[in-house]
Coordinates of all heavy atoms in Angstrom, one line a residue:
M1 N 26.6 -2.7 14.9 CA 27.8 -1.9 14.9 C 29.0 -2.7 15.4 O 28.9 -3.3 16.5 CB 27.7 -0.6 15.6 CG 28.9 0.3 15.6 SD 28.5 1.9 16.2 CE 28.8 1.7 17.9
L2 N 30.1 -2.9 14.7 CA 31.2 -3.7 15.2 C 32.3 -2.7 15.7 O 32.6 -1.7 15.1 CB 31.8 -4.5 14.0 CG 31.0 -5.5 13.4 CD1 31.6 -5.9 12.0 CD2 30.9 -6.7 14.3
D3 N 33.0 -3.1 16.8 CA 34.2 -2.5 17.1 C 35.2 -3.6 17.4 O 35.0 -4.7 17.0 CB 34.1 -1.4 18.2 CG 33.9 -2.0 19.6 OD1 34.3 -3.2 19.9 OD2 33.3 -1.3 20.5
S4 N 36.3 -3.4 18.0 CA 37.4 -4.4 18.1 C 37.0 -5.7 18.7 O 37.3 -6.7 18.1 CB 38.6 -3.8 18.9 OG 38.2 -3.5 20.2
N5 N 36.3 -5.8 19.8 CA 35.9 -7.1 20.3 C 34.4 -7.1 20.8 O 34.0 -8.1 21.4 CB 36.8 -7.5 21.4 CG 36.8 -6.6 22.6 OD1 36.2 -5.5 22.5 ND2 37.4 -7.0 23.7
C6 N 33.7 -6.1 20.5 CA 32.3 -6.0 20.9 C 31.4 -5.6 19.7 O 31.9 -5.0 18.8 CB 32.1 -5.0 22.0 SG 33.0 -5.5 23.5
L7 N 30.1 -5.9 19.8 CA 29.2 -5.3 18.9 C 27.9 -5.1 19.6 O 27.7 -5.6 20.7 CB 29.0 -6.3 17.7 CG 28.4 -7.7 17.9 CD1 26.9 -7.6 17.9 CD2 28.9 -8.5 16.7
Y8 N 27.1 -4.3 19.1 CA 25.8 -3.9 19.7 C 24.7 -4.3 18.8 O 24.7 -4.0 17.6 CB 25.8 -2.4 20.0 CG 26.9 -2.0 20.9 CD1 28.2 -1.7 20.5 CD2 26.7 -1.9 22.3 CE1 29.2 -1.3 21.3 CE2 27.7 -1.6 23.2 CZ 28.9 -1.3 22.7 OH 29.9 -0.9 23.5
V9 N 23.7 -5.0 19.4 CA 22.5 -5.5 18.7 C 21.3 -5.0 19.5 O 21.4 -4.7 20.7 CB 22.5 -7.0 18.6 CG1 23.6 -7.5 17.8 CG2 22.4 -7.7 19.9
K10 N 20.2 -4.8 18.7 CA 19.0 -4.4 19.4 C 18.2 -5.7 19.7 O 18.0 -6.6 18.9 CB 18.2 -3.5 18.5 CG 18.8 -2.1 18.3 CD 17.7 -1.2 17.8 CE 18.3 0.2 17.5 NZ 19.0 0.9 18.4
D11 N 17.7 -5.7 21.0 CA 16.8 -6.9 21.3 C 15.4 -6.7 20.8 O 15.1 -5.7 20.2 CB 16.9 -7.2 22.8 CG 16.3 -6.0 23.7 OD1 15.6 -5.2 23.1 OD2 16.5 -6.1 24.9
E12 N 14.5 -7.6 21.2 CA 13.1 -7.5 20.7 C 12.4 -6.3 21.2 O 11.4 -5.9 20.6 CB 12.4 -8.8 21.0 CG 12.2 -9.1 22.5 CD 13.4 -9.9 23.1 OE1 14.4 -10.2 22.3 OE2 13.4 -10.1 24.3
N13 N 12.9 -5.6 22.3 CA 12.3 -4.4 22.8 C 12.9 -3.1 22.3 O 12.6 -2.0 22.7 CB 12.3 -4.4 24.3 CG 11.6 -5.6 24.9 OD1 10.6 -6.0 24.4 ND2 12.2 -6.2 25.9
G14 N 13.9 -3.3 21.4 CA 14.6 -2.1 20.8 C 15.7 -1.6 21.6 O 16.3 -0.5 21.3
N15 N 16.1 -2.3 22.7 CA 17.2 -1.9 23.6 C 18.5 -2.4 23.0 O 18.6 -3.5 22.5 CB 17.0 -2.5 25.0 CG 15.7 -2.0 25.6 OD1 15.4 -0.9 25.6 ND2 15.0 -3.0 26.2
E16 N 19.6 -1.5 23.0 CA 20.9 -2.0 22.6 C 21.5 -2.9 23.6 O 21.4 -2.6 24.8 CB 21.8 -0.7 22.3 CG 21.7 -0.2 21.0 CD 22.9 0.6 20.5 OE1 23.8 0.9 21.4 OE2 23.0 0.8 19.3
K17 N 22.1 -3.9 23.1 CA 22.7 -4.9 24.0 C 24.2 -5.2 23.5 O 24.4 -5.3 22.3 CB 21.9 -6.2 23.9 CG 22.2 -7.2 24.9 CD 21.0 -8.1 25.0 CE 21.1 -9.2 26.1 NZ 21.5 -8.7 27.4
K18 N 25.1 -5.2 24.4 CA 26.5 -5.4 24.1 C 26.8 -6.9 24.0 O 26.5 -7.6 24.9 CB 27.4 -4.7 25.1 CG 28.9 -4.7 24.8 CD 29.7 -3.9 25.8 CE 31.1 -3.9 25.5 NZ 31.9 -3.1 26.4
M19 N 27.4 -7.3 22.9 CA 27.8 -8.7 22.7 C 29.3 -8.8 22.6 O 29.9 -7.8 22.1 CB 27.1 -9.2 21.4 CG 25.6 -9.2 21.4 SD 24.9 -10.4 22.6 CE 23.3 -10.6 22.0
T20 N 29.8 -9.9 22.9 CA 31.3 -10.2 22.7 C 31.5 -10.9 21.4 O 30.9 -12.0 21.2 CB 31.8 -11.0 23.9 OG1 31.5 -10.3 25.1 CG2 33.3 -11.2 23.8
I21 N 32.4 -10.4 20.6 CA 32.7 -11.1 19.4 C 33.7 -12.2 19.7 O 34.7 -12.0 20.3 CB 33.4 -10.1 18.4 CG1 32.4 -9.0 18.0 CG2 33.9 -10.8 17.1 CD1 33.0 -7.9 17.1
L22 N 33.4 -13.4 19.2 CA 34.3 -14.5 19.3 C 35.3 -14.6 18.2 O 36.5 -14.8 18.4 CB 33.5 -15.8 19.4 CG 32.5 -15.9 20.5 CD1 31.7 -17.2 20.4 CD2 33.2 -15.9 21.9
F23 N 34.8 -14.4 17.0 CA 35.6 -14.4 15.8 C 34.8 -13.9 14.6 O 33.6 -13.9 14.6 CB 36.3 -15.7 15.5 CG 35.4 -16.9 15.2 CD1 35.1 -17.2 13.9 CD2 34.9 -17.6 16.2 CE1 34.3 -18.3 13.6 CE2 34.0 -18.7 15.9 CZ 33.7 -19.0 14.6
T24 N 35.5 -13.5 13.5 CA 34.9 -13.2 12.3 C 35.6 -14.1 11.2 O 36.7 -14.6 11.4 CB 35.1 -11.7 11.9 OG1 36.5 -11.4 11.8 CG2 34.5 -10.8 12.9
F25 N 34.9 -14.3 10.1 CA 35.5 -15.0 9.0 C 34.8 -14.6 7.7 O 33.7 -14.1 7.7 CB 35.4 -16.6 9.2 CG 34.0 -17.1 9.2 CD1 33.5 -17.7 8.0 CD2 33.2 -17.1 10.3 CE1 32.2 -18.2 8.0 CE2 31.9 -17.6 10.3 CZ 31.4 -18.2 9.1
D26 N 35.5 -14.9 6.6 CA 35.0 -14.6 5.3 C 34.7 -15.9 4.5 O 35.6 -16.8 4.7 CB 36.0 -13.8 4.4 CG 36.3 -12.4 5.0 OD1 35.5 -12.0 6.0 OD2 37.2 -11.8 4.6
N27 N 33.7 -16.0 3.8 CA 33.5 -17.1 2.9 C 34.1 -16.7 1.6 O 33.7 -15.8 0.9 CB 32.0 -17.3 2.7 CG 31.7 -18.5 1.8 OD1 32.3 -18.8 0.8 ND2 30.7 -19.3 2.2
E28 N 35.2 -17.5 1.2 CA 35.9 -17.2 0.0 C 35.1 -17.3 -1.3 O 35.3 -16.5 -2.2 CB 37.2 -18.1 -0.1 CG 38.2 -17.9 1.0 CD 38.8 -16.5 1.1 OE1 39.1 -16.0 0.0 OE2 39.0 -16.0 2.2
E29 N 34.2 -18.2 -1.3 CA 33.4 -18.5 -2.5 C 32.4 -17.4 -2.8 O 32.2 -16.9 -3.9 CB 32.6 -19.8 -2.4 CG 33.6 -21.0 -2.5 CD 32.8 -22.3 -2.2 OE1 31.6 -22.3 -2.4 OE2 33.5 -23.3 -1.9
T30 N 31.7 -16.9 -1.7 CA 30.6 -16.0 -1.8 C 31.1 -14.5 -1.5 O 30.3 -13.6 -1.7 CB 29.4 -16.3 -0.9 OG1 29.9 -16.3 0.4 CG2 28.9 -17.7 -1.3
K31 N 32.3 -14.4 -1.0 CA 32.8 -13.1 -0.6 C 31.9 -12.4 0.5 O 31.8 -11.2 0.6 CB 32.9 -12.1 -1.8 CG 33.8 -12.7 -2.9 CD 35.2 -12.8 -2.5 CE 36.1 -13.3 -3.7 NZ 36.9 -14.4 -3.4
V32 N 31.3 -13.2 1.3 CA 30.4 -12.7 2.4 C 31.2 -12.8 3.7 O 31.9 -13.7 4.0 CB 29.1 -13.5 2.5 CG1 28.3 -13.1 3.7 CG2 28.3 -13.4 1.2
Q33 N 31.1 -11.7 4.6 CA 31.7 -11.7 5.8 C 30.8 -12.1 7.0 O 29.6 -11.7 6.9 CB 32.3 -10.3 6.1 CG 33.3 -9.8 5.1 CD 33.5 -8.3 5.2 OE1 32.6 -7.5 5.0 NE2 34.8 -8.0 5.5
Y34 N 31.3 -12.8 7.9 CA 30.4 -13.2 9.1 C 31.1 -12.9 10.4 O 32.3 -12.8 10.5 CB 30.2 -14.8 9.0 CG 29.5 -15.2 7.8 CD1 30.2 -15.6 6.6 CD2 28.1 -15.3 7.8 CE1 29.5 -16.0 5.5 CE2 27.4 -15.7 6.6 CZ 28.2 -16.1 5.5 OH 27.5 -16.5 4.4
V35 N 30.2 -12.7 11.4 CA 30.7 -12.5 12.7 C 30.0 -13.5 13.6 O 28.8 -13.7 13.5 CB 30.5 -11.0 13.2 CG1 29.0 -10.6 13.2 CG2 31.1 -10.8 14.6
V36 N 30.7 -14.1 14.6 CA 30.2 -15.0 15.5 C 30.4 -14.4 16.9 O 31.4 -13.9 17.2 CB 30.9 -16.4 15.5 CG1 30.4 -17.4 16.5 CG2 30.8 -17.0 14.0
F37 N 29.3 -14.3 17.7 CA 29.3 -13.6 18.9 C 28.4 -14.2 20.0 O 27.6 -15.1 19.7 CB 28.9 -12.1 18.7 CG 27.5 -12.0 18.0 CD1 26.4 -11.7 18.8 CD2 27.4 -12.0 16.6 CE1 25.2 -11.5 18.2 CE2 26.2 -11.9 16.0 CZ 25.0 -11.6 16.8
Q38 N 28.6 -13.8 21.2 CA 27.7 -14.3 22.3 C 27.4 -13.1 23.3 O 28.1 -12.1 23.3 CB 28.3 -15.5 23.0 CG 29.6 -15.2 23.7 CD 30.3 -16.5 24.2 OE1 31.4 -16.4 24.6 NE2 29.6 -17.6 24.2
D39 N 26.3 -13.4 24.0 CA 25.9 -12.4 25.1 C 26.7 -12.8 26.3 O 26.6 -13.9 26.9 CB 24.4 -12.6 25.3 CG 23.9 -11.6 26.3 OD1 24.6 -11.0 27.1 OD2 22.6 -11.4 26.3
P40 N 27.5 -11.8 26.8 CA 28.4 -12.1 28.0 C 27.5 -12.4 29.3 O 28.1 -12.9 30.2 CB 29.3 -10.9 28.1 CG 28.5 -9.8 27.4 CD 27.7 -10.5 26.3
E41 N 26.3 -12.0 29.2 CA 25.4 -12.2 30.4 C 24.7 -13.5 30.4 O 24.1 -13.9 31.4 CB 24.4 -11.1 30.5 CG 25.0 -9.7 30.6 CD 23.9 -8.6 30.5 OE1 22.7 -8.9 30.6 OE2 24.3 -7.4 30.4
L42 N 24.8 -14.3 29.3 CA 24.1 -15.6 29.3 C 25.1 -16.7 29.2 O 26.3 -16.6 29.2 CB 23.3 -15.6 28.0 CG 22.1 -14.6 27.9 CD1 21.4 -14.8 26.6 CD2 21.1 -14.8 29.1
D43 N 24.6 -17.9 29.2 CA 25.3 -19.2 29.1 C 26.3 -19.1 28.0 O 25.9 -18.8 26.9 CB 24.3 -20.3 29.0 CG 25.0 -21.6 28.8 OD1 26.2 -21.8 29.1 OD2 24.3 -22.6 28.5
E44 N 27.5 -19.5 28.2 CA 28.6 -19.4 27.2 C 28.3 -20.3 26.0 O 28.9 -20.2 25.0 CB 30.0 -19.7 27.8 CG 30.5 -18.5 28.6 CD 31.9 -18.7 29.0 OE1 32.6 -19.7 28.5 OE2 32.4 -17.9 29.8
S45 N 27.5 -21.3 26.2 CA 27.2 -22.3 25.0 C 26.3 -21.6 24.0 O 26.2 -22.1 22.9 CB 26.7 -23.6 25.5 OG 25.4 -23.3 26.1
Q46 N 25.6 -20.5 24.3 CA 24.7 -19.9 23.4 C 25.5 -18.9 22.5 O 26.1 -18.0 23.0 CB 23.7 -19.1 24.1 CG 22.6 -18.4 23.2 CD 21.8 -19.4 22.5 OE1 21.4 -20.4 23.1 NE2 21.5 -19.1 21.3
V47 N 25.6 -19.3 21.2 CA 26.4 -18.5 20.2 C 25.5 -18.0 19.1 O 24.6 -18.7 18.7 CB 27.5 -19.4 19.7 CG1 28.3 -18.7 18.6 CG2 28.5 -19.8 20.8
Y48 N 25.8 -16.8 18.6 CA 25.0 -16.2 17.6 C 25.9 -15.9 16.4 O 27.1 -15.8 16.6 CB 24.4 -14.9 18.0 CG 23.5 -15.0 19.2 CD1 24.1 -14.7 20.5 CD2 22.2 -15.3 19.2 CE1 23.3 -14.8 21.6 CE2 21.4 -15.4 20.3 CZ 22.0 -15.2 21.5 OH 21.2 -15.3 22.7
A49 N 25.3 -15.8 15.2 CA 26.1 -15.5 14.0 C 25.3 -14.6 13.1 O 24.1 -14.6 13.1 CB 26.5 -16.8 13.3
S50 N 26.0 -13.8 12.4 CA 25.3 -12.9 11.4 C 26.3 -12.5 10.3 O 27.5 -12.6 10.5 CB 24.9 -11.6 12.2 OG 24.2 -10.8 11.4
R51 N 25.8 -12.1 9.2 CA 26.6 -11.5 8.1 C 26.9 -10.1 8.5 O 26.1 -9.5 9.3 CB 25.8 -11.4 6.8 CG 25.4 -12.7 6.2 CD 24.4 -12.4 5.1 NE 24.4 -13.5 4.1 CZ 24.3 -13.3 2.8 NH1 24.2 -12.1 2.3 NH2 24.4 -14.3 2.0
Y52 N 27.9 -9.5 7.9 CA 28.0 -8.0 8.1 C 28.7 -7.5 6.8 O 29.3 -8.2 6.1 CB 28.9 -7.7 9.3 CG 30.3 -8.1 9.3 CD1 31.3 -7.1 8.9 CD2 30.7 -9.3 9.7 CE1 32.6 -7.5 8.9 CE2 32.1 -9.7 9.7 CZ 33.0 -8.7 9.3 OH 34.4 -9.1 9.3
D53 N 28.4 -6.2 6.6 CA 28.9 -5.5 5.4 C 30.1 -4.7 5.7 O 30.6 -4.6 6.8 CB 27.8 -4.7 4.7 CG 27.2 -3.6 5.5 OD1 27.9 -3.1 6.5 OD2 26.1 -3.1 5.2
D54 N 30.6 -4.0 4.7 CA 31.8 -3.2 4.8 C 31.6 -2.0 5.8 O 32.6 -1.5 6.3 CB 32.3 -2.6 3.5 CG 32.8 -3.7 2.6 OD1 33.2 -4.8 3.1 OD2 32.7 -3.5 1.3
Q55 N 30.4 -1.6 6.1 CA 30.1 -0.5 7.1 C 29.9 -1.1 8.5 O 29.6 -0.3 9.4 CB 28.9 0.3 6.7 CG 29.2 1.2 5.5 CD 29.2 0.5 4.1 OE1 28.3 -0.3 3.9 NE2 30.1 0.8 3.3
G56 N 30.0 -2.4 8.6 CA 29.8 -3.0 9.9 C 28.4 -3.2 10.3 O 28.1 -3.5 11.5
Q57 N 27.5 -3.1 9.3 CA 26.1 -3.3 9.6 C 25.8 -4.8 9.6 O 26.2 -5.6 8.7 CB 25.2 -2.7 8.5 CG 25.4 -1.2 8.4 CD 24.8 -0.5 9.6 OE1 23.8 -0.7 10.1 NE2 25.7 0.4 10.2
L58 N 25.0 -5.3 10.6 CA 24.7 -6.7 10.7 C 23.5 -7.0 9.7 O 22.6 -6.2 9.6 CB 24.3 -7.1 12.1 CG 25.4 -6.9 13.2 CD1 24.8 -7.3 14.5 CD2 26.6 -7.7 12.8
L59 N 23.6 -8.2 9.1 CA 22.6 -8.6 8.1 C 22.2 -10.0 8.5 O 23.1 -10.8 8.9 CB 23.2 -8.6 6.7 CG 23.8 -7.2 6.3 CD1 24.6 -7.4 5.0 CD2 22.7 -6.2 6.1
P60 N 21.0 -10.4 8.2 CA 20.6 -11.8 8.6 C 21.2 -12.9 7.7 O 21.4 -12.6 6.5 CB 19.0 -11.7 8.4 CG 18.8 -10.6 7.5 CD 19.9 -9.6 7.7
I61 N 21.4 -14.0 8.3 CA 21.7 -15.2 7.5 C 20.4 -15.8 7.0 O 19.5 -16.0 7.8 CB 22.5 -16.2 8.3 CG1 23.9 -15.6 8.8 CG2 22.7 -17.5 7.6 CD1 24.7 -16.4 9.7
E62 N 20.3 -16.0 5.7 CA 19.0 -16.2 5.1 C 18.7 -17.6 4.7 O 17.5 -18.0 4.7 CB 18.9 -15.3 3.8 CG 18.9 -13.8 4.3 CD 18.9 -12.9 3.1 OE1 19.2 -13.3 2.0 OE2 18.7 -11.7 3.3
T63 N 19.7 -18.4 4.4 CA 19.3 -19.8 3.9 C 19.8 -20.9 4.8 O 20.7 -20.7 5.6 CB 19.9 -20.0 2.5 OG1 21.3 -20.1 2.6 CG2 19.5 -19.0 1.5
E64 N 19.1 -22.0 4.7 CA 19.5 -23.2 5.5 C 21.0 -23.6 5.2 O 21.7 -24.0 6.1 CB 18.5 -24.3 5.2 CG 18.7 -25.5 6.2 CD 18.4 -25.1 7.6 OE1 17.4 -24.3 7.9 OE2 19.0 -25.7 8.5
E65 N 21.3 -23.6 3.9 CA 22.7 -23.9 3.5 C 23.7 -23.0 4.1 O 24.8 -23.5 4.6 CB 22.8 -23.9 1.9 CG 22.0 -24.9 1.2 CD 20.6 -24.5 1.0 OE1 20.2 -23.3 1.2 OE2 19.8 -25.4 0.7
E66 N 23.4 -21.7 4.2 CA 24.3 -20.8 4.8 C 24.5 -21.0 6.3 O 25.6 -21.0 6.8 CB 23.7 -19.4 4.5 CG 24.7 -18.3 4.7 CD 24.2 -16.9 4.3 OE1 23.0 -16.7 4.1 OE2 25.0 -16.0 4.2
W67 N 23.4 -21.3 6.9 CA 23.4 -21.7 8.4 C 24.3 -22.9 8.6 O 25.1 -23.0 9.6 CB 22.0 -21.9 9.0 CG 21.4 -20.6 9.5 CD1 20.3 -20.0 9.1 CD2 21.9 -19.8 10.6 NE1 20.1 -18.9 9.8 CE2 21.1 -18.7 10.8 CE3 23.0 -19.9 11.5 CZ2 21.2 -17.8 11.7 CZ3 23.2 -19.0 12.4 CH2 22.3 -17.9 12.6
E68 N 24.1 -23.9 7.8 CA 24.9 -25.1 7.9 C 26.4 -24.9 7.8 O 27.2 -25.4 8.5 CB 24.5 -26.2 6.9 CG 23.1 -26.8 7.2 CD 22.6 -27.7 6.1 OE1 23.3 -28.0 5.2 OE2 21.4 -28.0 6.2
M69 N 26.8 -24.0 6.8 CA 28.2 -23.7 6.6 C 28.7 -22.9 7.8 O 29.8 -23.2 8.3 CB 28.3 -22.8 5.3 CG 29.7 -22.3 5.0 SD 30.3 -20.8 5.8 CE 29.1 -19.6 5.3
V70 N 27.9 -22.0 8.4 CA 28.3 -21.2 9.5 C 28.5 -22.1 10.7 O 29.5 -22.0 11.5 CB 27.3 -20.0 9.8 CG1 27.6 -19.4 11.1 CG2 27.4 -19.0 8.7
E71 N 27.5 -23.0 10.9 CA 27.6 -23.9 12.1 C 28.8 -24.8 12.0 O 29.5 -25.1 13.0 CB 26.3 -24.8 12.1 CG 25.1 -24.0 12.6 CD 23.8 -24.8 12.6 OE1 23.8 -26.0 12.2 OE2 22.8 -24.2 13.0
E72 N 29.2 -25.2 10.8 CA 30.4 -26.0 10.6 C 31.6 -25.2 11.0 O 32.5 -25.8 11.7 CB 30.5 -26.4 9.1 CG 31.2 -27.7 8.9 CD 31.1 -28.1 7.4 OE1 29.9 -28.5 7.0 OE2 32.1 -28.1 6.7
V73 N 31.7 -24.0 10.6 CA 32.9 -23.1 11.0 C 32.9 -23.0 12.5 O 34.0 -23.1 13.2 CB 32.8 -21.8 10.3 CG1 33.9 -20.8 10.9 CG2 33.0 -21.9 8.8
I74 N 31.7 -22.7 13.1 CA 31.7 -22.6 14.6 C 32.1 -23.9 15.3 O 32.9 -23.8 16.2 CB 30.2 -22.2 15.1 CG1 29.9 -20.8 14.6 CG2 30.1 -22.3 16.6 CD1 28.4 -20.4 14.7
N75 N 31.7 -25.0 14.8 CA 32.1 -26.3 15.4 C 33.6 -26.5 15.3 O 34.2 -27.0 16.2 CB 31.3 -27.4 14.8 CG 29.8 -27.4 15.2 OD1 29.4 -26.8 16.2 ND2 29.0 -28.0 14.4
T76 N 34.2 -26.2 14.2 CA 35.6 -26.3 14.0 C 36.3 -25.4 14.9 O 37.3 -25.8 15.6 CB 36.0 -25.9 12.5 OG1 35.3 -26.8 11.7 CG2 37.5 -26.0 12.3
F77 N 35.8 -24.1 15.1 CA 36.4 -23.2 16.0 C 36.4 -23.7 17.5 O 37.4 -23.7 18.2 CB 35.7 -21.8 16.0 CG 36.1 -20.8 17.0 CD1 37.3 -20.1 16.8 CD2 35.4 -20.6 18.2 CE1 37.7 -19.1 17.7 CE2 35.8 -19.7 19.1 CZ 37.0 -18.9 18.9
V78 N 35.2 -24.3 17.9 CA 35.1 -24.8 19.2 C 36.0 -26.0 19.4 O 36.7 -26.1 20.5 CB 33.6 -25.2 19.5 CG1 33.5 -26.0 20.8 CG2 32.7 -24.0 19.5
E79 N 36.1 -26.9 18.5 CA 37.0 -28.0 18.6 C 38.5 -27.6 18.7 O 39.2 -28.1 19.5 CB 36.9 -29.0 17.4 CG 35.6 -29.7 17.4 CD 35.3 -30.4 16.0 OE1 36.3 -30.6 15.2 OE2 34.2 -30.9 15.8
D80 N 38.9 -26.6 17.9 CA 40.3 -26.1 17.9 C 40.5 -25.5 19.3 O 41.6 -25.6 19.9 CB 40.5 -25.0 16.8 CG 40.6 -25.7 15.5 OD1 40.7 -26.9 15.4 OD2 40.6 -24.9 14.5
D81 N 39.5 -24.7 19.8 CA 39.7 -24.1 21.1 C 39.8 -25.1 22.2 O 40.6 -24.9 23.2 CB 38.4 -23.2 21.3 CG 38.7 -22.1 22.3 OD1 39.8 -21.5 22.3 OD2 37.8 -21.8 23.2
E82 N 39.1 -26.2 22.2 CA 39.1 -27.2 23.2 C 40.5 -28.0 23.2 O 40.9 -28.4 24.2 CB 38.0 -28.2 23.0 CG 36.7 -27.6 23.4 CD 35.5 -28.5 23.1 OE1 35.7 -29.5 22.5 OE2 34.4 -28.1 23.5
N83 N 41.1 -28.1 22.0 CA 42.3 -28.8 21.8 C 43.5 -28.0 22.1 O 44.7 -28.5 22.1 CB 42.4 -29.4 20.4 CG 41.3 -30.5 20.2 OD1 40.9 -31.1 21.1 ND2 40.9 -30.6 18.9
A84 N 43.4 -26.7 22.3 CA 44.5 -25.8 22.4 C 45.1 -25.9 23.8 O 44.5 -26.3 24.8 CB 44.1 -24.3 22.2

């Protein structure tokens, strides 16, 4: 579930965990929406990503190509953030 700057995911034990949204982006070619987030309780270098639908439901990223594209966007975001 997404809200303005947080989302909630279930961990391996089924417990809801609050995550901080770093940014969202759309892939223009595939019309897929992505969210990049992190656990505020863990090391800031650990970043997660997921697809999401119009209802804010998180969906898994399924292919290696898709992961590579998402990692590229994350790396660009990190570089821009460091240069700001």
Side-chain angles (χ1 to χ4, degrees):
M1 181 168 90
L2 296 165
D3 73 25
S4 59
N5 62 349
C6 298
L7 62 86
Y8 297 86
V9 297
K10 287 198 188 306
D11 67 13
E12 60 276 357
N13 300 320
N15 300 314
E16 271 204 346
K17 196 160 182 48
K18 186 175 182 177
M19 300 290 202
T20 303
I21 296 174
L22 299 176
F23 63 94
T24 60
F25 68 96
D26 297 348
N27 182 319
E28 296 298 321
E29 291 173 21
T30 61
K31 306 292 186 229
V32 175
Q33 299 169 297
Y34 297 92
V35 59
V36 178
F37 55 97
Q38 66 187 167
D39 185 339
E41 297 174 12
L42 296 179
D43 179 8
E44 285 190 8
S45 65
Q46 183 67 40
V47 175
Y48 305 94
S50 187
R51 293 170 157 217
Y52 69 96
D53 65 18
D54 293 336
Q55 286 78 44
Q57 298 295 312
L58 297 180
L59 307 165
I61 295 173
E62 296 171 347
T63 67
E64 190 63 37
E65 292 81 15
E66 197 173 15
W67 269 116
E68 288 173 10
M69 180 275 302
V70 169
E71 286 174 1
E72 209 170 291
V73 171
I74 292 170
N75 290 338
T76 301
F77 175 81
V78 169
E79 288 170 15
D80 287 349
D81 201 40
E82 287 173 353
N83 295 331

